């Protein structure tokens, strides 16, 4: 039976597949930093070449930002569905670099108490996960000479920088990219060894502002006392964003569109194998620090957040400088749930800040990105049960429908622009340190991930 | 009469004197940054050479940090007092560099609505002021072949970085450096054209801490909600340092040792020519932002402060990064008055922070510098009246005894270690932008400053 031969082929080809991934990981495709534009381009070229090498018609598509990669294959078997697979080849910045134990773009295999890991930026988010699907197709092709159904490959290079080109591209390529269902591999498992299909994702709203006080940097001897200090003022503003009693966000109207999780879903989540202690201790926490009246899992999957991702102003060098700086800066992201509207939320956040500006202080808003609403997936479609079964077979453990703390905006756009539901299946673990120094991907996730996709392809094309 | 010839000589030599200052300003002697060690050394060498060129026996003295420059001259006229002149040759860092209209270490003369200025880092603080005294001596020497009294020159290279070597050096060189009175040129005039002798200086306490939350940088999708964010926590701590109602510092015991200003002194200050509107608008302020129950002048001269000079954590690069950082950092300086004890204050500040640390959050104190208490000068000595008279003659305006918002710790050490009072006479203006981009020194301050010192030398040696 062909699936078995494909799985055998995957096992025998694993070390070659790993070498291919290491090659891709060596390309520092940091999309948010313009300095790495050429590297993002190189990563896209690498993928085009790799897809072509397994008989997929792929090419690079230019955008105002980093290029998309689009590939097509199959279509002989017209009873089988048309699948679109999505992944992203760009990665997060690597700072603080000094906390990496190995160079972020010199990936290597490493033995750990949890088994062999692939260490390097992008190994888990998302190059390693993206390649699990490509390698499954490679093995299937090698064994059967063709793929079991029509597949469109769609790789993005701006996922880590707000996907500015995604919406226009989807709108322009609507016909080409519309399939029966989308497969996305950019999520993690609820717990080590628990195969998971994401059923809801949080949305995202990003903003950034500069608080301006004195018109120049001042000497704290001449102006210390009478002088307004933007570092103190920005701290007061940030402190005002939350209610310390309840842990809730204190921005007026912030929770509009947020709904309580239905009791039935909460029951499912209780049994999903999420290990709270493990999850918290991976980060060095002993308790959860979010909204006091919600469980840790709800805080992560079903509640919105207002997070400060960057804060700076004044002197950061060696020694001291007796300065009252002219400016202070703050980067913010909010995670959205339910029906929260990103644009309305941005307006509420900005009003909160502007209402609290002291005399002689002005604010400059430095970002104007699109936000993405949260996305709750319709899991009643047959493909979801089929995929769950395939994953259950591979992992010898009942696969679960889980929530997600992260934001995969593309899933929402596939629905709103292409009218396409998405199957989000990922093999990352909580301790992968994605977006952090020393990011890794378990070799087991890579290996069983490839095998999982082979089983899903088989199940969906029957 | 020799003073007149000296003043004439100063006038005719002004452009050569300016060229000498520009030469010294070209040396980037930033003391707080180890990267500029060689440049600090070069500035010291330049001064030794310049003093020698006018017959002063000067040499560089090594310290664990940047070298001191010590020079001796005169002593024939034993009726005249022995004077010690102090200035510092090190300068502040130049960041943010992009706000400079000309390169900070390529000084130049520039025409402005307030007349010609010397633009460049250190032009006002303190190389330009230091050279006013040296040039006065050069002119006197040229006209009379000798100086009117015994003078010891003492130049420091660590004033902008906490003077770590100063106390041990003073203790070791006690005999050599003890004089009848110290002259210090590192202060500003109360208002443009109002010659000022400082009668009280604020002290200084510096501290710095790192707030540590999660053990690694975290993904705000995985941990946003349950995760403690050090950027939010440090903001809450900084917000807790002040009482917004009164504008007072809210650290317990902060005001121990602070005294109200005597009514008589307050009366003097009212008539000193301080222009509040001008002072505030130079910084872009419309109101004073300090303790509400005190005047702007008291806030600057007679009240203590707790100032944030640097604050940073998380992602500061282009674009966004959905990170919950592991660390946040904060640099603090406090200005001290009256009998406030720097060490006791440091303990109170640290207790304030440690008492408010949330669960899963730790603090690391990154500095351990000596603080310096405030210094109130005994202005009843005859030298003070003599100097005030000399300044009044040069500026055609009654010279005033003024307070000072800044800290000149050396004046306090001269008193406590060498038993020597200090005459603090400076010619800087509020708009000199010292410690800021585009620092400048009025050519008029430089010229009349040199002439002022010639008159003071004359008055003190009669």
């Amino acid at each position: 039976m062909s699936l078995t031969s494909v799985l055998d082929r995957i096992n025998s080809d694993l070390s070659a597949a790993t070498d291919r991934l290491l090659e891709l990981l060596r390309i520092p495709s940091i999309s948010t930093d313009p300095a790495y534009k050429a590297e993002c381009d190189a990563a896209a070229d690498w993928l085009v070449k790799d897809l072509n090498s397994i008989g997929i018609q792929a090419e690079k598509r230019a955008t105002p930002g980093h290029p998309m990669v689009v590939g097509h294959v199959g279509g002989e078997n017209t009873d089988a569905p048309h699948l679109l697979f999505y992944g992203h080849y760009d990665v997060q910045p690597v700072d603080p670099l000094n906390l990496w134990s190995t160079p972020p773009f010199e990936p290597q295999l490493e033995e750990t108490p949890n088994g062999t890991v692939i260490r390097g930026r992008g190994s888990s988010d998302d190059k390693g996960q993206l390649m699990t699907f490509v390698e499954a197709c490679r093995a299937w092709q090698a064994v059967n000479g063709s793929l079991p159904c029509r597949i469109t490959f769609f790789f993005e290079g701006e996922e880590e920088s707000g996907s500015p080109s995604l919406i226009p591209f989807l709108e322009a390529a609507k016909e080409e990219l519309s399939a029966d269902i989308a497969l996305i591999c950019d999520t993690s498992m609820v717990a080590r060894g628990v195969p998971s299909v994401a059923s809801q994702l949080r949305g995202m709203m990003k903003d950034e502002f500069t608080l301006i006080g004195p018109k120049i940097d001042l000497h704290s001897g001449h102006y210390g006392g009478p002088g307004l200090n933007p570092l103190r003022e920005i701290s007061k503003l940030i402190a005002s964003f939350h209610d310390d009693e309840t842990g809730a966000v204190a921005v007026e109207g912030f929770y509009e569109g947020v709904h309580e999780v239905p009791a039935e879903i909460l029951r499912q989540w209780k049994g999903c194998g999420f290990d709270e202690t493990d999850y918290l201790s991976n980060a060095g926490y002993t308790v959860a620090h979010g909204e006091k009246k919600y469980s840790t899992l709800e805080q992560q999957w079903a509640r919105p957040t207002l997070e400060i991702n960057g804060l700076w102003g004044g002197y950061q060098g060696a020694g001291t400088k007796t300065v009252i700086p002219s400016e202070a800066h703050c980067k913010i992201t909010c995670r959205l749930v339910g029906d929260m509207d990103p644009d309305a939320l941005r307006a509420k956040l900005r009003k909160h800040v502007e209402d609290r500006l002291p005399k002689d202080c002005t604010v400059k808003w430095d970002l104007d990105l699109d936000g993405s609403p949260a996305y709750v997936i319709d899991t009643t479609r047959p493909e979801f049960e089929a995929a769950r079964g395939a994953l259950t077979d591979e992992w010898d453990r009942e696969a679960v429908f889980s929530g997600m703390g992260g934001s995969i905006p593309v899933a929402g756009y596939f629905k709103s622009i292409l009218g396409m539901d998405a199957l989000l299946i990922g093999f990352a673990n909580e301790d992968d340190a994605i977006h952090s120094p020393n990011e890794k991907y378990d070799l087991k996730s890579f290996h069983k991930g490839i095998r999982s996709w082979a089983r899903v392809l088989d199940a969906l094309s029957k």
Side-chain angles (χ1 to χ4, degrees), chain A residues 101-214:
Chain A
S101 54
T102 58
F105 295 110
E106 294 172 26
Q108 41 210 281
L109 294 181
E110 202 177 297
E111 294 312 316
T112 78
N114 288 324
T116 311
V117 303
I118 303 160
R119 177 90 57 198
R121 172 58 87 225
S123 55
S124 178
D125 182 16
D126 181 48
K127 289 171 175 173
Q129 302 234 69
L130 178 158
M131 289 303 290
T132 56
F133 186 81
V134 174
E135 294 297 344
C137 293
R138 191 191 316 274
W140 195 289
Q141 183 87 11
V143 170
N144 304 300
S146 73
L147 285 158
C149 61
R150 179 174 167 203
I151 304 175
T152 297
F153 297 79
F154 178 43
F155 303 146
E156 184 191 7
E158 299 179 324
E159 199 272 347
E160 302 293 4
S161 54
S163 299
S165 312
L166 183 61
I167 293 175
F169 190 85
L170 289 179
E171 282 164 346
K174 198 166 167 172
E175 209 157 316
E176 179 180 14
L177 296 177
S178 295
D180 296 312
I181 194 164
L183 310 178
I184 300 178
C185 191
D186 194 19
T187 53
S188 53
M189 297 189 287
V190 167
R192 182 166 260 103
V194 180
S196 316
V197 179
S199 61
Q200 58 181 54
L201 306 169
R202 291 197 291 191
M204 169 81 82
M205 194 280 288
K206 301 174 173 181
D207 218 335
E208 177 172 343
F209 67 94
T210 299
L211 199 67
I212 302 151

Side-chain angles (χ1 to χ4, degrees), chain A residues 79-354:
Chain A
D79 310 339
H82 173 196
L83 309 176
L84 176 131
F85 177 80
Y86 167 92
H88 65 90
Y89 64 79
D90 61 319
V91 300
Q92 279 276 318
V94 296
D95 62 289
L97 190 54
N98 60 309
L99 296 186
W100 285 79
S101 54
T102 58
F105 295 110
E106 294 172 26
Q108 41 210 281
L109 294 181
E110 202 177 297
E111 294 312 316
T112 78
N114 288 324
T116 311
V117 303
I118 303 160
R119 177 90 57 198
R121 172 58 87 225
S123 55
S124 178
D125 182 16
D126 181 48
K127 289 171 175 173
Q129 302 234 69
L130 178 158
M131 289 303 290
T132 56
F133 186 81
V134 174
E135 294 297 344
C137 293
R138 191 191 316 274
W140 195 289
Q141 183 87 11
V143 170
N144 304 300
S146 73
L147 285 158
C149 61
R150 179 174 167 203
I151 304 175
T152 297
F153 297 79
F154 178 43
F155 303 146
E156 184 191 7
E158 299 179 324
E159 199 272 347
E160 302 293 4
S161 54
S163 299
S165 312
L166 183 61
I167 293 175
F169 190 85
L170 289 179
E171 282 164 346
K174 198 166 167 172
E175 209 157 316
E176 179 180 14
L177 296 177
S178 295
D180 296 312
I181 194 164
L183 310 178
I184 300 178
C185 191
D186 194 19
T187 53
S188 53
M189 297 189 287
V190 167
R192 182 166 260 103
V194 180
S196 316
V197 179
S199 61
Q200 58 181 54
L201 306 169
R202 291 197 291 191
M204 169 81 82
M205 194 280 288
K206 301 174 173 181
D207 218 335
E208 177 172 343
F209 67 94
T210 299
L211 199 67
I212 302 151
K215 62 185 182 188
I216 56 167
D217 284 8
L218 301 173
H219 184 303
S220 73
H222 284 186
Y223 282 96
L228 170 141
N229 185 331
L231 299 180
R232 175 183 160 198
E233 298 307 324
I234 205 165
S235 298
K236 284 157 60 180
L237 284 170
I238 292 170
S240 76
F241 286 147
H242 291 81
D243 170 349
D244 292 332
E245 285 315 304
T246 62
V249 175
V251 172
E252 193 180 345
F254 185 83
Y255 290 95
E256 276 168 30
V258 178
H259 314 300
E260 297 297 317
V261 179
E264 166 50 28
I265 302 285
L266 279 182
R267 230 189 329 278
Q268 279 185 38
W269 288 356
K270 281 199 177 51
C272 75
F274 172 77
D275 182 335
E276 178 176 11
T277 318
D278 190 44
Y279 164 82
L280 291 172
S281 63
N282 279 339
Y285 298 132
T286 59
V287 296
H289 296 271
E291 291 175 272
K292 294 195 173 64
K293 57 189 269 224
Y294 294 93
S295 74
T296 303
L297 206 54
E298 284 175 278
Q299 288 176 26
Q300 182 198 357
W301 287 355
R303 300 298 301 173
T305 66
L306 189 166
E307 213 59 77
I308 309 302
N309 307 115
L311 173 63
W312 70 101
Y315 184 63
Q316 304 181 27
T320 59
K321 182 178 179 185
T322 53
V323 64
I324 297 175
S326 171
E327 296 185 347
H329 306 265
C330 177
K331 287 178 185 278
I332 296 174
T333 52
C334 292
R335 299 281 171 175
L336 280 50
V337 303
D339 301 311
M340 292 172 81
D341 172 351
D343 299 331
L345 185 64
R346 185 187 306 278
K348 291 167 193 164
L349 171 69
R350 292 184 174 190
K351 182 176 189 308
H352 180 96
V353 169
E354 282 154 11

